[in-house]
Amino acid sequence: MWYVLVILVTVFGVLGVAALSTMLERRLLGFFQDRPGPNRVGPFGLLQVVADAIKMLFKHDWIPPFADKTIFVLAPIIGFLCVLLSFAVIPVTANWSVAGDLNVGLLFVFGMMGMAVYSVVLGGWSSNNKFALLGGMRAAAQMISYEVFMGLALMGVIMTTGSFALNDIVAAQSHCWFIIPQFLGAIIFLMAGIAETHRLPFDLPEGENELGAGFHTEYSGMKFGMFFLAEYAGVALISCLITTLYLGGWQGPLLPPVVWFVLKAGFLICFFILLRAALPRPRYDQLMAFGWKVLLPLSLLNTVVTGAILLLRASA
Amino acid sequence: MFGIIRTIWMTFLHLFHKNETVQYPEQKPYLSPRYRGRIVLTRDPSGEERCVACNLCAAACPVDCISLQKGERDGRWYPEFFQINFSRCIFCGFCEEACPTYAIQLTPDFEMAEYVRQNLVYEKEDLLISGPGKVPDYSFYNVSGLAIPGKGKGEAEHELAPVDTHSLMP
Ligand code: SF4
Ligand code: SF4
């Protein structure tokens, strides 16, 4: 019973957060640009989410006749499912998570993120549209290569903790958040996370000015909405992961653990939005070059140095 | 690198700036008197219609949205009907410039949305106002040489009596 409750709360929590962050994003972007953003529907414009949802649901859900129907329908579902499943292992508090003490929790998240690539690639490919295909290809290259640095950046944390379980990682940060010893790793993880969720400034798969809307050019209605929910849930996921891995998870003084977790993750979501407001999109080759020529050596360096220090400590 | 961090910081500071937005329906922006909005037909100081149905505005209109029909009363021309199709009007103000009598004028009002497109065709009753608009003192017939009842040739302001073409005197 408890288990079902946890699952339900997680699923609807994630959905709610994803929906709300669409609205939060528009409000914050507005403030960053000296305008109020959507503030008409309901108090503070909060009901904008509902209005958007209604609009999405009632829109003509069109499948282009030249598309590969099965895959076209399947792609957004895969994307959304992968992100949603990843939330299963996020420990919101010490004993609130669907599978927080899964001993390969981090690997599971990575597996799911790897699967999420399929959603954009298949979406781009089944649309049978050259812009969508280009977007899908970009997404594949970008997400696969950035996943490498993401994993490597995490090595430091995993080596220090000696465990893949997210609960253990949180527990290991009771004295000192990993962002201090693993600062480089945290920065690399953050950047890779942005690329992974293909958010601005790394949203080349959907770069409007050159690709229309990239991989979801042909999507409309709720299928398009699913892609977007998946993107925002992805942002929430990366924020939760950074919180758990580098910011001490639910640990914090005075306030109850849930509040700490939500505060930290919420702060990170806002930071993601700030990045979107502040930074221009790089060129595609710049993005790849930055990944392989800067982030890869840096994350390797991070791994090596962390390993050396750990070995020295162990021998001392 | 430093540039990126500085950009992020400066963008963050915008959170504390004042909004530039004018919350429109509650908060109206200032529109100057020469703003080009809804078109009106004005009357001269004596309360007569200024429009002399010369069709110059209709000719000047780049989108051909003015249509009118000349009528005549006491030697004065006037429009029998005068229609402006505001669904085509681009508010360029050419009609106002073309008008020799200051009859047609654009006003600072743009809130003329309608649910039915047909309602955007304004008839003379909708266009005509009771005042002289932006030029309070001007009356075309008082300065023109045309004879109308109550004013013969040469009796207008700044006008000399007509020359007697049969006389040889200088
Ligand atoms: S404002 Fe321009 S478009 Fe409108 S009626 Fe006058 S001339 Fe025509
Ligand atoms: S509004 Fe002016 S330009 Fe148009 S017909 Fe009347 S007098 Fe002539």
Side-chain angles (χ1 to χ4, degrees):
Chain A
M1 204 47 223
W2 168 247
Y3 223 66
V4 175
L5 182 74
V6 173
I7 291 173
L8 280 181
V9 169
T10 312
V11 168
F12 285 102
V14 172
L15 281 177
V17 166
L20 265 181
S21 52
T22 58
M23 142 82 196
L24 179 75
E25 164 149 54
R26 288 163 65 188
R27 276 316 289 256
L28 276 182
L29 280 181
F31 288 141
F32 290 135
Q33 295 163 359
D34 294 348
R35 59 187 173 83
N39 62 349
R40 292 277 156 178
V41 199
F44 304 108
L46 274 176
L47 292 183
Q48 185 71 41
V49 179
V50 183
D52 282 348
I54 293 174
K55 187 194 89 175
M56 285 281 193
L57 284 172
F58 283 90
K59 271 217 166 165
H60 186 183
D61 200 350
W62 192 64
I63 300 178
F66 45 83
D68 189 334
K69 284 203 180 47
T70 330
I71 302 181
F72 190 81
V73 176
L74 219 57
I77 301 177
I78 296 177
F80 191 59
L81 222 59
C82 290
V83 178
L84 212 54
L85 277 176
S86 315
F87 273 97
V89 291
I90 302 286
V92 180
T93 70
N95 39 22
W96 181 283
S97 76
V98 181
D101 34 8
L102 183 71
N103 57 359
V104 289
L106 213 45
L107 282 184
F108 176 77
V109 172
F110 268 79
M112 282 301 144
M113 281 185 180
M115 291 280 285
V117 181
Y118 278 108
S119 119
V120 275
V121 176
L122 290 181
W125 179 63
S126 66
S127 300
N128 241 333
N129 167 323
K130 47 183 170 292
F131 291 124
L133 183 62
L134 278 174
M137 265 159 49
R138 282 187 179 187
Q142 170 180 333
M143 288 169 86
I144 289 172
S145 46
Y146 273 77
E147 202 144 304
V148 174
F149 325 130
M150 206 172 184
L152 276 175
L154 277 184
M155 277 304 159
V157 172
I158 294 164
M159 280 192 292
T160 324
T161 323
S163 164
F164 277 112
L166 288 167
N167 265 349
D168 295 347
I169 294 176
V170 175
Q173 301 179 65
S174 51
H175 301 301
C176 174
W177 291 359
F178 278 149
I179 191 160
I180 297 165
Q182 288 291 327
F183 185 70
L184 196 59
I187 297 292
I188 296 171
F189 186 84
L190 176 74
M191 284 197 242
I194 301 170
E196 191 61 32
T197 48
H198 43 87
R199 285 275 308 171
L200 267 123
F202 293 158
D203 70 334
L204 288 137
E206 35 194 295
E208 295 91 347
N209 43 6
E210 62 233 38
L211 290 184
F215 62 89
H216 55 64
T217 308
E218 299 289 352
Y219 281 87
S220 60
M222 207 49 213
K223 288 205 279 297
F224 170 80
M226 291 253 264
F227 269 128
F228 257 68
L229 275 183
E231 177 173 333
Y232 283 97
V235 172
L237 175 68
I238 297 291
S239 302
C240 290
L241 274 180
I242 296 177
T243 308
T244 339
L245 295 171
Y246 291 104
L247 296 182
W250 34 265
Q251 298 181 26
L254 295 176
L255 299 170
V258 191
V259 178
W260 272 111
F261 188 87
V262 171
L263 271 184
K264 290 173 186 171
F267 168 77
L268 281 168
I269 291 179
C270 294
F271 184 66
F272 268 79
I273 296 171
L274 172 62
L275 284 185
R276 169 176 184 169
L279 298 179
R281 183 189 292 140
R283 228 169 43 221
Y284 188 61
D285 58 320
Q286 287 172 334
L287 177 81
M288 294 310 265
F290 177 69
W292 290 106
K293 290 183 188 158
V294 180
L295 288 189
L296 181 68
L298 276 182
S299 51
L300 282 175
L301 186 75
N302 184 49
T303 316
V304 169
V305 172
T306 315
I309 290 175
L310 282 179
L311 277 181
L312 277 181
R313 258 207 220 138
S315 60
Chain B
M1 190 63 209
F2 174 72
I4 290 176
I5 292 169
R6 182 163 170 274
T7 320
I8 295 175
W9 176 243
M10 304 253 297
T11 314
F12 176 71
L13 287 185
H14 271 274
L15 215 50
F16 307 105
H17 283 202
K18 211 178 129 283
N19 273 338
E20 302 288 349
T21 310
V22 179
Q23 296 286 342
Y24 160 61
E26 293 93 37
Q27 218 180 329
K28 308 256 180 192
Y30 168 74
L31 299 177
S32 76
R34 62 176 196 179
Y35 186 88
R36 300 201 306 265
R38 182 169 53 85
I39 297 174
V40 293
L41 288 175
T42 58
R43 292 170 187 272
D44 62 19
S46 57
E48 299 285 341
E49 283 173 36
R50 266 183 179 149
C51 177
V52 295
C54 66
N55 263 312
L56 283 177
C57 52
C61 180
V63 292
D64 281 347
C65 66
I66 303 179
S67 91
L68 62 137
Q69 174 62 51
K70 187 199 90 177
E72 208 170 333
R73 179 202 295 142
D74 302 336
R76 289 182 60 149
W77 286 11
Y78 76 101
E80 266 171 6
F81 67 81
F82 195 109
Q83 290 177 337
I84 299 183
N85 183 350
F86 279 112
S87 64
R88 287 172 73 181
C89 175
I90 55 174
F91 300 102
C92 60
F94 285 3
C95 46
E96 181 172 0
E97 278 177 42
C99 182
T101 65
Y102 293 127
I104 195 164
Q105 294 181 7
L106 279 77
T107 57
D109 170 28
F110 55 87
E111 293 168 322
M112 40 198 307
E114 294 280 357
Y115 284 103
V116 184
R117 190 170 284 241
Q118 210 57 44
N119 293 349
L120 281 168
V121 178
Y122 280 38
E123 295 291 340
K124 195 165 121 183
E125 303 84 81
D126 312 318
L127 295 166
L128 206 59
I129 60 167
S130 53
K134 285 180 273 191
V135 263
D137 305 323
Y138 183 78
S139 173
F140 174 70
Y141 283 105
N142 284 352
V143 294
S144 78
L146 198 69
I148 51 164
K151 191 204 82 169
K153 286 243 179 202
E155 287 171 18
E157 290 166 29
H158 314 301
E159 202 185 19
L160 301 176
V163 178
D164 182 1
T165 46
H166 300 293
S167 154
L168 287 175
M169 297 301 288

